[in-house]
């Protein structure tokens, strides 16, 4: 079998609603302006991510991953959030999507669904399963994930900078994905 390298930060990832742009160091200030709204983080495990020093840790991890994206509204070119792939497991033919946040003005519309569809369509070219790990108190994200067809399969504890947090694990299998 020939091993191929998968590039998990593709260029030109867009539809008629959003454009996913590979995250770069130069995006920090503009993205922090979006992230500095405390209400974005009220259901997330890291509730103080709106603070500059805490957001810096999130952003540095996103840059280091080499798999993160800036989310831009296509009609206005406005930066509205971020998302990324993580936890690629070639032996399990799986990857996870997460660390996603959106500006509140884009909640409840098509933006979350659009970003997930773009990422899922790309991922399913290479893997058979995509996982989502959502904080146990993040009801909004749990419901949004189930709306796109993910099924809860596990409860796990994840460590965020030394803090143990209960998360629910959801999965979408390639054969079940209705893009």
């Amino acid at each position: 079998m020939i091993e191929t390298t998968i590039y998990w930060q593709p260029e030109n990832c867009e539809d008629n609603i959003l454009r996913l742009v590979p995250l770069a160091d130069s995006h920090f200030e503009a993205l922090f302006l979006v992230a500095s709204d405390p209400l974005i983080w009220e259901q997330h495990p890291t509730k103080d991510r709106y603070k500059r020093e805490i957001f810096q840790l999130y952003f540095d991890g996103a840059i280091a991953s080499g798999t993160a994206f800036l989310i831009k509204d296509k009609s206005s070119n406005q930066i509205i959030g971020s998302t990324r792939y993580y936890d690629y497991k070639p032996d399990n033919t799986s990857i996870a999507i997460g660390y996603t946040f959106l500006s509140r003005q884009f909640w409840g519309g098509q933006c979350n669904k659009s970003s997930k569809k773009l990422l899922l369509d790309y991922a399913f070219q290479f893997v058979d399963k995509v996982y989502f790990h959502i904080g146990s108190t993040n009801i909004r994200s749990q419901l949004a994930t189930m709306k796109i067809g993910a099924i809860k399969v596990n409860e796990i504890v994840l460590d965020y900078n030394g803090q143990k947090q209960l998360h629910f694990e959801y999965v979408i299998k390639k054969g079940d994905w209705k893009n």
Side-chain angles (χ1 to χ4, degrees):
M1 184 170 120
I2 298 173
E3 190 71 25
T4 59
T5 302
I6 301 168
Y7 185 59
W8 290 112
Q9 201 177 33
E11 303 278 340
N12 304 319
C13 197
E14 62 184 77
D15 61 12
N16 61 335
I17 299 169
L18 298 177
R19 179 176 296 118
L20 302 183
V21 178
L23 192 65
D25 288 323
S26 62
H27 296 139
F28 179 83
E29 290 300 332
L31 190 57
F32 179 65
L33 279 176
V34 175
S36 63
D37 177 355
L39 294 178
I40 289 175
W41 308 105
E42 70 182 349
Q43 290 186 19
H44 279 252
T46 309
K47 296 183 185 331
D48 59 352
R49 199 172 277 159
Y50 65 91
K51 296 177 181 174
R52 186 178 203 72
E53 64 277 7
I54 305 300
F55 184 75
Q56 186 73 59
L57 292 171
Y58 164 90
F59 187 84
D60 291 347
I63 291 292
S65 75
T67 60
F69 299 90
L70 196 65
I71 303 172
K72 295 179 99 175
D73 175 65
K74 196 162 179 184
S75 65
S76 68
N77 208 33
Q78 178 183 351
I79 293 169
I80 65 169
S82 182
T83 192
R84 72 173 115 156
Y85 290 114
Y86 66 98
D87 203 23
Y88 173 51
K89 294 181 179 170
D91 294 342
N92 191 36
T93 66
S94 69
I95 197 161
I97 294 172
Y99 295 93
T100 305
F101 74 92
L102 291 171
S103 169
R104 283 189 298 136
Q105 79 182 81
F106 292 91
W107 288 0
Q110 292 297 311
C111 292
N112 184 60
K113 184 178 180 180
S114 175
S115 70
K116 297 301 190 290
K117 180 185 182 317
L118 289 166
L119 294 172
L120 286 162
D121 286 348
Y122 184 78
F124 283 136
Q125 296 175 63
F126 309 104
V127 297
D128 295 326
K129 294 176 287 296
V130 175
Y131 290 93
F132 302 84
H133 303 107
I134 302 171
S136 62
T137 60
N138 192 342
I139 305 303
R140 184 173 31 257
S141 291
Q142 291 171 36
L143 292 172
T145 301
M146 288 186 290
K147 269 185 174 176
I148 62 168
I151 298 167
K152 183 179 171 188
V153 292
N154 202 3
E155 294 186 7
I156 58 175
V157 175
L158 297 177
D159 189 325
Y160 286 113
N161 301 315
Q163 294 182 343
K164 305 268 189 229
Q165 302 281 343
L166 177 63
H167 283 67
F168 298 154
E169 184 175 61
Y170 293 81
V171 68
I172 296 178
K173 295 179 181 176
K174 184 177 186 173
D176 297 332
W177 175 233
K178 298 169 182 71
N179 60 1

